[in-house]
């Protein structure tokens, strides 16, 4: 694993699907790659999803092999639970200082057997993965399919009872662990810092997060996932199986008042997907999607929309003006039915899902000097022809860091970034800034 | 950590690396729940328990996600700790995860071909989800067949071959240009062929590109300049593929290059064009104007020298009479060139949907044109006029030839309707509307749509601007198709568009207009010959099909043939370029080492059994895959069949005709099949108590 200094061709920031794909594409060509992920596991948002459109593959089937591949690839140094502290330029490209946060568990020793979890006496809500709907111990492996399968300790919550110390068969626990620093000399940088969802409590008209049976798309993904908290779909307030579920589209996108005027591109499709999965799991439930425009633009997506209609999912053109709740906490949606003489009606549902949109996952300006566009995503000066090249020489960006997009497009743009980076690297090696021995590595 | 590449390279040298299984088979059996995809139907625990009782099964497990790291670790641990030397996985499809599990067993030091995959998802749980008990019984039978095969499996080594590093890029639109550039910059030589006589594809025909509003000509010029400057790229225009042979790393491709008929340095271009008496509709302006038989499509095109359109040239020799002698040759024959390439990028692009006669008045009323035609109209005129009359009101109708509904729309000649969204037309329409508004602020614009799909980065802005620019939007339901009819005689506007507008309570609205613009969709270029030659496949929507949209989004089922741009489906320029660069990356991964790896599933002759009859040679469909050799052994002349692994595709036809059962396909030997059939049909004790 990583030494204190590392020399690589590329450092990829962000271990979501885009970052992993870019890293694998370069490593498969013989380039050396460091992949830096701030969370304890790679996988990004995708590993938390249920099944994924348009093929309805189980998302783990697509993600987990790539997670394993980045962990085992000879040309990739995987640095999880790590963050970039500073970046500077030198003759050979960039000097990147990376902080490895202490897990309080020795990486090389931990086998992921989870014996520690069995004895740890304290439970914490799993906010990172399950929106607090389940719990994990103070010492825990982030989730079943996490890579690496290594435990970590939430040291702020630990009472140092020492039970895990005794239980660990590999003597992997080390309460005195300190942050480690690593200096990476990199020829180029790829930003794959992904996205966040727009806040589901941002809109006063939609209850500002106070209505218990109004959730967002990502929360619904967890309810639908086979690895999810309940193994079935239950509504938050009373654990009842919802018989009537509504989707409110563009809840957080195409909305100037929220500062998100753009379309988030994935929400139509994920709402339709979730509706289809729901009607499989709850065959008797009524599912309604309130929308402004259905944007099923991708390959096979329009057909996906048609199938959903054929399955009996109701699509209603109308912008939801307000959501309130009744005494039983049933959310009530006030909507103008545009296709039905624009009458304004109130409709009661058991559960409402806000189809929240996408915001950039980070601001690359401070560390990398990379400006963003008005929409907050990384600015790509030659957007049409060189979709991964930023304004800073040697710095590239991909996946949802350059704008909302789905998994297919994230993977394609990641491979595109790999092409731009490899061309950039070749131009340097051709210019003789590498020794012959180093260059021969590339063509090995 | 073992280095997988190093390992397979030693294997190539003829030595099988790592753990040729010593002694009896010790089989590890793994049943994957695939989240719930399998586990919700097949009782995986029961399957594992049943299989655990079979002979040679050392361990049988079930797990939620075998492909995840913890799942893979179960396998590697069993190999290193329990001495498992054969692995059978029952999971999703082979296509998805064969490579994953091969790498897993290899990491633990086992030969990757000592693993066998059973497709429990596609072949069992998905098709029998109504009957879990039967599905469980079937899983047991399928898996016991796999186990029966595994008992007989032997280590194999992939075939390693030198690969040609040259790449053929077919199509010189933005996608082909971008792919060529990226591949060349990666260090691989490229041949780029373009069927027409000019580079650039459709982008050459547009004025300004969304979402950047940049000048399309400037974008193209920049890209073409970079391509020309790249010494590793050879370009042929007027060129098409005529035949293909071979396989990844070793394709033999013949192309035919049509002569331009005009020398590069021919100076009297304008005079020659003026002299030509032929007039044909100019496809560059989508038939809005006429061109000569000797022509240049537009100013600034590349190559700049004009070309002679052989189909329409009457050989009247008028052009020969002007300017220099010898600059023009009317009867030069085409040239054929043989290329050896390692991979092929298909970037043949799209064609706009052509409405049929009478569809929304197209072809019936001259005032109905398509969006591509409008683009050319705007590009070539200072005023917005049609039939010499100013356009005061204009209606743009979306989704013509897209999002069609069976039974409601007329099908294409192949019997299918275009049920997909063409993705670019919404923003392209609004972009045109905004440009019209800026240049001709007095023109009234109606936009007739179902859904506005301004999905991409910066696209929504065009919608917002169009609203601010006063474009009037009318929304109809898919099944309430708008109509275009002739106005009554003497009416102020020649056409009426009838829309049942859902934004105004479903009222039937009539829009009197001067011009109707149909936002036509995108269809793939007609390339059925090429598709056949390359043995790739179009999907149901006729666009070329990728292996898997997420796992291998730009690769086809034929190794070494990849897709770039709109040949695969509707895309914007940015998306076409991204796909082209992704294609370049896949090609680089394949070829940058100068070697390719092929599956070892090739025919193998047992020289002891072979009688030299030669039936196999007669039936083999692959050139050079099997031949007879004569040698002298102990004073006797022997004839024996010999396989050339590189040319064999493992189809097994030879196996079926050999009278002495001397041939087998490695990895798929007959004894393996027999054992599998026996296991499937046996009264398996493992099935007790299941169904
Ligand atoms: C509710 C919902 C459902 C969806 N369903 C589907 C679907 O069915 N099909 C589909 O195709 N798409 C779907 N999507 C879209 C899909 O989630 C995204 O396209 C995809 O996950 C984007 O991957 P990414 O790698 O670009 O970003 P992310 O998944 O966000 O990954 C970014 C990674 O970078 C890390 N990171 C961020 N900043 C730093 C930093 N400074 N240092 C180190 N690491 C950092 C993050 O921790 C994260 O791991 C859905 C989206 C939502 C919201
Ligand atoms: C009206 C309209 C407006 C548009 N406006 C925009 C816009 O503003 N912004 C934007 O991003 N996108 C726009 N687009 C989309 C854009 O045109 C495409 O994304 C782009 O042209 C795709 O490039 P391509 O290389 O895939 O295909 P093409 O441009 O079609 O190029 C394919 C090339 O391959 C050649 N070819 C075909 N068959 C063969 C063969 N058998 N052998 C050799 N060569 C062959 C063709 O001659 C052609 O040169 C618009 C599309 C339309 C219809
Ligand atoms: S992009 Fe718009 S006009 Fe084109 S097919 Fe899709 S919805 Fe219709």
């Amino acid at each position: 694993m990583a030494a204190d200094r590392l020399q690589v061709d590329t450092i990829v920031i962000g271990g979501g699907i885009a970052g992993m794909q870019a890293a694998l594409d370069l490593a498969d060509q013989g380039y050396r790659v460091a992949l830096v992920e701030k969370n304890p596991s790679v996988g990004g948002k995708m590993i938390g999803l249920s099944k994924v459109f348009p093929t309805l593959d189980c998302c783990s089937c697509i993600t987990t092999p790539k997670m394993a591949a980045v962990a085992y690839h000879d040309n990739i140094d995987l640095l999880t639970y790590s963050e970039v502290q500073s970046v500077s330029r030198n003759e050979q490209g960039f000097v990147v200082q990376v902080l490895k946060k202490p897990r309080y568990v020795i990486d090389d020793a931990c086998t992921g057997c989870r014996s520690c979890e069995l004895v740890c006496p304290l439970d914490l809500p799993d906010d990172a993965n399950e929106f607090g709907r389940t719990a994990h111990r103070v010492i825990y492996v982030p989730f079943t399919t996490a890579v690496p399968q290594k435990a970590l300790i939430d040291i702020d919550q630990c009472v140092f009872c020492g039970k895990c110390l005794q239980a660990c068969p590999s003597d992997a626990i080390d309460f005195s662990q300190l942050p480690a620093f690593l200096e990476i000399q990199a020829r180029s940088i790829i930003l794959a810092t992904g996205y966040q969802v727009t806040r589901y409590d941002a809109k006063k008209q939609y209850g500002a997060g106070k209505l218990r049976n109004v959730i967002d798309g990502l929360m619904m993904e967890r309810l639908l996932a086979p690895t999810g908290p309940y193994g079935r779909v239950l509504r938050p307030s009373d654990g009842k199986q919802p018989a009537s579920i509504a989707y409110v589209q563009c809840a957080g996108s195409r909305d100037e008042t929220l500062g998100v005027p753009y379309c988030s591109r994935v929400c139509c499709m994920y709402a339709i997907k979730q509706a289809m999965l729901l009607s499989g799991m709850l065959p008797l439930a009524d599912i309604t999607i309130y929308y402004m425009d259905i944007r099923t633009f991708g390959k096979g997506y329009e057909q996906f929309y048609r199938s959903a209609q054929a399955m009996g999912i109701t699509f209603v053109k109308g912008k939801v003006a307000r959501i309130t709740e009744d005494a039983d906490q049933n959310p009530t949606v006030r909507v103008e039915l545009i296709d039905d003489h624009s009458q304004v009606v109130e409709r009661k549902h058991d559960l409402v899902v806000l189809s929240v949109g996408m915001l950039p996952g980070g601001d690359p300006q401070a560390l990398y000097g990379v400006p963003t566009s008005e929409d907050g995503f990384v600015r790509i000066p030659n957007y049409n022809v060189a979709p991964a090249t930023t304004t800073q020489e040697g710095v590239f960006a991909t996946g949802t860091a350059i704008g909302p997009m789905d998994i297919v497009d994230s993977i394609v743009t990641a491979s595109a970034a790999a092409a731009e980076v490899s061309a950039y690297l070749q131009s340097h090696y051709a210019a003789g800034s590498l020794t012959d021995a180093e260059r021969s590595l590339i063509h090995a | 950590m073992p280095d997988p590449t190093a390992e397979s390279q030693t294997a190539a040298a003829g030595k099988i690396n790592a753990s040729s299984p010593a002694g009896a088979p010790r089989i590890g059996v793994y049943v994957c729940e695939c989240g719930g995809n399998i586990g919700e139907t097949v009782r995986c625990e029961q399957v594992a328990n049943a299989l655990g009782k079979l002979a040679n099964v050392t361990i049988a497990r079930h797990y939620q996600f075998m492909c995840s790291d913890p799942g893979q670790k179960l396998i590697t641990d069993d190999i290193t700790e329990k001495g498992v030397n054969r692995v059978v996985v029952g999971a999703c499809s082979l296509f998805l995860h064969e490579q994953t599990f091969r790498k897993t067993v290899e990491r633990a030091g086992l030969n990757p071909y000592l693993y066998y995959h059973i497709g429990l998802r596609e072949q069992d749980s998905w098709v029998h989800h109504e009957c879990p008990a039967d599905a469980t019984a079937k899983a047991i039978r399928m898996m016991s067949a796999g186990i029966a095969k595994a008992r007989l499996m032997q280590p194999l080594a992939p075939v390693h071959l030198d690969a040609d590093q040259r790449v053929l890029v077919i199509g010189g639109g933005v996608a082909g240009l971008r792919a060529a550039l990226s591949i060349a910059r990666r260090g691989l030589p490229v041949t780029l062929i373009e069927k027409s006589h000019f580079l650039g594809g459709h982008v050459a025909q547009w004025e300004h590109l969304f979402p950047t509003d940049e000048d399309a000509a400037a974008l193209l010029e920049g890209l073409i300049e970079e391509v020309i400057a790249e010494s590793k790229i050879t370009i042929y225009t007027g060129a098409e593929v005529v035949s293909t042979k071979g396989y990844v790393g070793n394709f033999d491709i013949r192309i035919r290059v049509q002569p331009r008929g005009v020398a590069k340095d021919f100076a009297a271009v304008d005079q020659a064009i003026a002299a030509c008496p032929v007039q044909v509709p100019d496809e560059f302006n989508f038939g809005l104007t006429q061109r000569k038989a000797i022509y240049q499509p537009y100013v600034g095109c590349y190559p700049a020298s004009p070309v002679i359109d052989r189909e329409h040239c009457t050989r009247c020799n008028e052009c020969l009479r002007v300017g220099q002698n010898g600059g023009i040759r009317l009867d030069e024959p085409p040239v054929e060139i043989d290329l050896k390439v390692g991979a092929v990028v298909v970037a043949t692009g799209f064609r706009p949907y052509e409405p049929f006669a009478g569809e929304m008045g197209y072809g019936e009323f001259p005032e109905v044109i398509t969006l591509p035609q409008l683009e050319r109209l705007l590009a070539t005129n200072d005023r917005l006029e049609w039939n010499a009359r100013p356009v005061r009101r204009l209606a743009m109708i979306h989704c013509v030839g897209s999002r069609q509904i069976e039974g409601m729309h007329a099908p294409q000649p192949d019997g299918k309707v275009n049920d997909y969204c063409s993705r670019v037309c919404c923003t392209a329409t609004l972009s045109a509307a905004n440009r019209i508004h800026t240049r001709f602020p007095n023109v009234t614009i109606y936009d007739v749509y179902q859904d506005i799909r301004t999905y991409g980065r910066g696209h929504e802005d065009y919608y917002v601007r169009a609203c601010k620019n006063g474009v009037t939007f009318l929304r109809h339901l898919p099944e309430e198709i708008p109509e275009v009819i002739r106005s009554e005689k003497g009416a102020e506007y020649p056409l009426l568009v009838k829309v049942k507008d859902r934004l105004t309570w479903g009222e039937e609205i009539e829009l009197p207009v001067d011009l109707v613009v149909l936002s036509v969709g995108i269809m793939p270029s007609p390339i059925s010959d090429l598709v056949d030659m390359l043995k790739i496949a179009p999907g149901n929507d006729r666009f070329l099909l990728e292996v898997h949209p997420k796992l291998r989004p730009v690769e086809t089922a034929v190794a070494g043939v990849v897709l770039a741009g709109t040949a695969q489906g509707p895309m914007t320029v940015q998306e076409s370029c991204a796909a082209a660069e992704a294609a370049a990356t896949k090609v680089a991964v394949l070829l940058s080492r100068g070697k390719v790896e092929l599956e070892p599933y090739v025919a193998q002759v047992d020289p002891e059994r072979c009688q030299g009859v030669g039936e196999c040679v007669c039936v083999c469909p692959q050139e050079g895959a099997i031949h007879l050799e004569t040698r002298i052994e102990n004073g006797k002349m022997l004839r024996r069949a010999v396989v050339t692994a590189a040319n064999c595709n493992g189809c097994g036809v030879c196996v079926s005709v050999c009278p002495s059962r001397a041939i087998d396909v490695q990895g798929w030997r007959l004894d393996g099949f027999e054992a599998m059939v026996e296991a499937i049909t046996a009264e398996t004790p493992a099935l007790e108590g299941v169904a």
Side-chain angles (χ1 to χ4, degrees), chain A residues 21 24-31 46 51-58 60-62 64-69 71-75 111 144-149 226-227 254 256 261-265 291-300 302-303 305-306 317 338-343 372-373 375-388 401-405 407-409 411-420 422-424 426-427 442-444, chain B residues 1-5 9 34-37 40 63-65 67-70 72-73 76 92 96-97 100 103 107 121 126 165 174 178 181-182 185-187 209-212 214 219 223 226 403-406 419-423 449-460 463-464 468 475 477-478 502-506 539 541 543-546 548-551 553-554 563 567-570 572-575 577-579 581-586 588-589 592-593:
Chain A
Q21 184 65 46
L24 287 170
D25 278 334
L26 287 165
D28 281 348
Q29 293 177 55
Y31 298 105
M46 186 178 170
K51 292 183 180 171
V52 281
F53 68 75
T55 39
L56 291 185
D57 300 292
C58 99
S60 297
C61 299
I62 312 289
T64 54
K66 297 217 195 260
M67 292 161 70
Y72 292 117
H73 206 296
D74 280 343
N75 290 334
T111 61
T144 326
T145 50
V147 167
Q149 275 285 302
T227 52
R254 302 178 66 190
E256 300 266 9
Y262 54 83
C263 163
S264 289
R265 194 168 167 156
Y291 71 95
M292 300 212 278
D293 298 280
I294 290 292
R295 293 186 169 172
T296 44
F297 58 85
K299 187 164 178 168
E302 181 73 9
Q303 294 87 332
Y305 172 33
R306 293 271 166 77
K317 164 107 178 160
I338 291 173
D339 286 341
D340 198 357
H341 300 89
S342 293
Q343 30 169 340
T372 53
S373 295
D375 57 12
F377 292 94
V378 174
R379 194 163 98 74
I380 304 293
N382 194 0
Y383 182 76
N384 281 324
V385 175
I402 61 167
M405 62 177 89
I407 294 161
V408 177
D409 289 333
I411 290 174
V412 170
T413 57
S415 295
E420 287 175 33
S422 65
Y424 178 78
Q426 289 306 116
S427 73
I442 307 302
H443 293 289
Chain B
M1 197 183 297
D3 170 6
T5 40
Q9 266 149 18
C34 196
N37 273 310
E40 273 165 22
Y63 188 68
Q64 198 173 21
F65 298 112
C67 58
S68 69
D69 189 43
Q72 293 184 28
K73 196 159 176 296
T76 52
C92 54
L96 232 51
H97 285 323
T100 309
K103 284 198 182 130
R107 221 168 40 233
R121 193 180 70 178
W126 275 358
Q165 285 193 312
V174 277
R178 178 70 249 189
L181 193 59
S182 293
R185 287 188 176 164
R186 176 62 186 83
L209 294 177
F210 71 77
T212 47
E214 72 201 290
L219 174 141
L223 187 58
E226 287 185 90
R403 302 182 67 187
Q404 293 181 324
I405 299 172
E406 222 174 72
D419 59 0
Y420 53 87
C421 164
S422 293
R423 185 167 181 155
Y449 76 102
Q450 299 176 38
D451 295 280
I452 294 289
R453 293 189 166 168
T454 41
Y455 65 88
R457 193 175 183 190
H459 295 195
E460 186 77 2
Y463 188 15
V464 173
K468 288 192 184 141
R475 175 173 175 274
L477 295 180
R502 291 289 159 176
L503 300 177
T504 47
W505 313 288
D541 56 8
F543 288 98
L544 295 177
L545 197 62
E546 62 287 332
H548 186 283
K550 294 190 199 78
L551 289 171
V554 295
L563 306 174
Q568 192 187 0
T572 64
V573 171
Q574 186 257 2
E575 290 158 349
C577 287
E581 294 194 292
T585 290
K586 296 302 152 188
V589 169
S592 57
R593 287 185 167 82

Side-chain angles (χ1 to χ4, degrees), chain B residues 2-246:
Chain B
D3 170 6
T5 40
E7 199 167 320
S8 25
Q9 266 149 18
T10 32
K15 197 173 108 236
I16 305 277
N17 184 302
S19 53
S20 302
R26 294 178 62 77
I27 306 176
V29 178
Y30 305 89
V31 187
C32 182
E33 290 166 18
C34 196
N37 273 310
I38 297 172
E40 273 165 22
T41 306
V42 173
R43 296 174 199 134
C44 295
E45 186 173 359
Q46 206 173 343
V47 176
N49 288 342
L51 297 173
K53 297 182 194 134
L54 296 183
N56 304 104
V57 174
T58 304
I59 179 89
R61 299 179 187 274
H62 67 103
Y63 188 68
Q64 198 173 21
F65 298 112
M66 279 312 300
C67 58
S68 69
D69 189 43
Q72 293 184 28
K73 196 159 176 296
L74 292 175
I75 301 178
T76 52
D77 285 352
D78 288 344
I79 293 171
T80 48
E81 286 161 20
K82 296 205 159 58
V84 161
N85 59 15
R86 305 251 188 331
V87 170
V88 178
V89 178
C92 54
S93 89
L94 190 78
F95 277 108
L96 232 51
H97 285 323
E98 184 175 55
Q99 292 306 326
T100 309
F101 291 115
R102 274 193 189 164
K103 284 198 182 130
T104 308
V105 299
E106 202 166 22
R107 221 168 40 233
L110 199 64
N111 179 283
Y113 294 93
L114 293 174
Y115 132 77
Y116 189 68
H117 195 105
I118 299 283
L120 286 186
R121 193 180 70 178
E122 277 80 346
Q123 291 167 40
D124 191 9
S125 66
W126 275 358
V127 280
H128 303 301
H129 60 92
E130 308 295 328
C131 24
D134 292 344
T136 304
K138 179 171 171 183
I140 293 172
R141 279 191 191 274
M142 289 169 70
M143 294 284 293
S144 30
I147 292 165
K149 173 167 171 153
R151 289 193 191 103
L152 301 171
M153 287 192 308
Q154 292 299 321
L156 297 172
V159 181
H160 283 258
L161 294 173
D162 287 338
D164 284 304
Q165 285 193 312
R166 178 169 292 278
V167 180
L168 173 66
V169 176
I170 307 174
V174 277
L177 292 165
R178 178 70 249 189
L181 193 59
S182 293
I183 295 166
R185 287 188 176 164
R186 176 62 186 83
L188 306 175
V190 179
T191 302
L192 170 68
I193 65 168
E194 162 58 48
K195 182 169 149 179
S196 79
H197 286 277
F198 303 93
L199 294 181
H202 284 101
V203 170
Q205 292 167 296
W206 317 144
E207 252 196 310
H208 291 278
L209 294 177
F210 71 77
T212 47
D213 279 337
E214 72 201 290
D215 185 40
L219 174 141
L220 208 51
E221 203 182 298
L223 187 58
I224 291 174
E225 254 168 35
E226 287 185 90
V227 168
I228 301 168
E230 194 52 69
S231 61
K232 284 201 157 68
I233 303 177
T234 313
I235 306 170
Y236 295 102
T237 54
E240 264 187 289
V241 173
V242 288
S243 72
T244 70
K245 254 192 346 211

Side-chain angles (χ1 to χ4, degrees), chain A residues 100-254:
Chain A
K100 287 196 73 190
K101 294 177 262 189
R103 298 176 88 103
Y104 304 100
V105 170
I106 300 160
D107 265 5
D108 292 343
C110 174
T111 61
C113 71
R114 306 181 93 157
S115 309
C116 50
E117 289 186 354
L118 293 176
V119 298
C120 178
L122 286 180
D123 287 318
L124 301 174
D126 186 355
D127 293 324
N129 304 306
E130 299 291 2
F131 305 95
R133 287 217 187 80
T134 62
H136 62 65
R137 296 291 156 91
V138 168
I139 185 165
Y140 65 107
V141 173
F143 48 92
T144 326
T145 50
V147 167
Q149 275 285 302
K150 311 269 179 205
L152 71 156
I153 299 178
D154 185 338
I155 207 76
D156 295 335
Q157 306 293 333
C158 180
V159 294
F160 301 101
C161 68
K163 290 205 169 125
C164 52
L165 267 179
Q166 287 158 12
C168 177
S170 345
D171 289 333
I173 289 149
D174 174 6
F175 289 125
S176 65
Q177 212 176 49
L178 293 173
F181 292 91
L182 182 69
E183 185 175 294
I184 302 181
Q185 173 69 56
R187 174 59 72 189
S188 56
I189 297 175
I190 301 180
L191 301 174
T193 45
Y195 71 98
Q196 303 167 311
V197 290
T198 55
R199 293 198 60 96
Y200 93 113
D201 55 6
K203 222 171 153 70
K204 217 172 57 221
Q205 295 89 324
Y206 293 172
K210 299 215 173 68
L211 307 178
R212 293 220 39 211
N213 292 322
V214 176
I215 63 174
D216 75 13
L218 269 186
M219 299 175 191
M220 182 52 102
E221 288 291 331
R222 294 308 305 151
L223 296 182
L224 289 165
T227 52
Y230 316 130
R232 52 205 168 126
V233 177
L234 305 174
R235 70 174 196 170
S237 72
D238 51 10
K240 194 179 99 174
Q241 278 205 350
S244 159
I245 303 160
Y247 279 81
V248 176
Q249 295 307 106
C250 301
S253 310
R254 302 178 66 190

Side-chain angles (χ1 to χ4, degrees), chain B residues 286-302:
Chain B
F286 297 104
L288 292 182
T289 56
Q290 304 272 307
R291 67 157 167 82
K292 301 297 184 67
I294 173 169
Y295 73 104
Q296 275 168 314
Y298 61 101
V299 184
C301 61
Y302 182 87

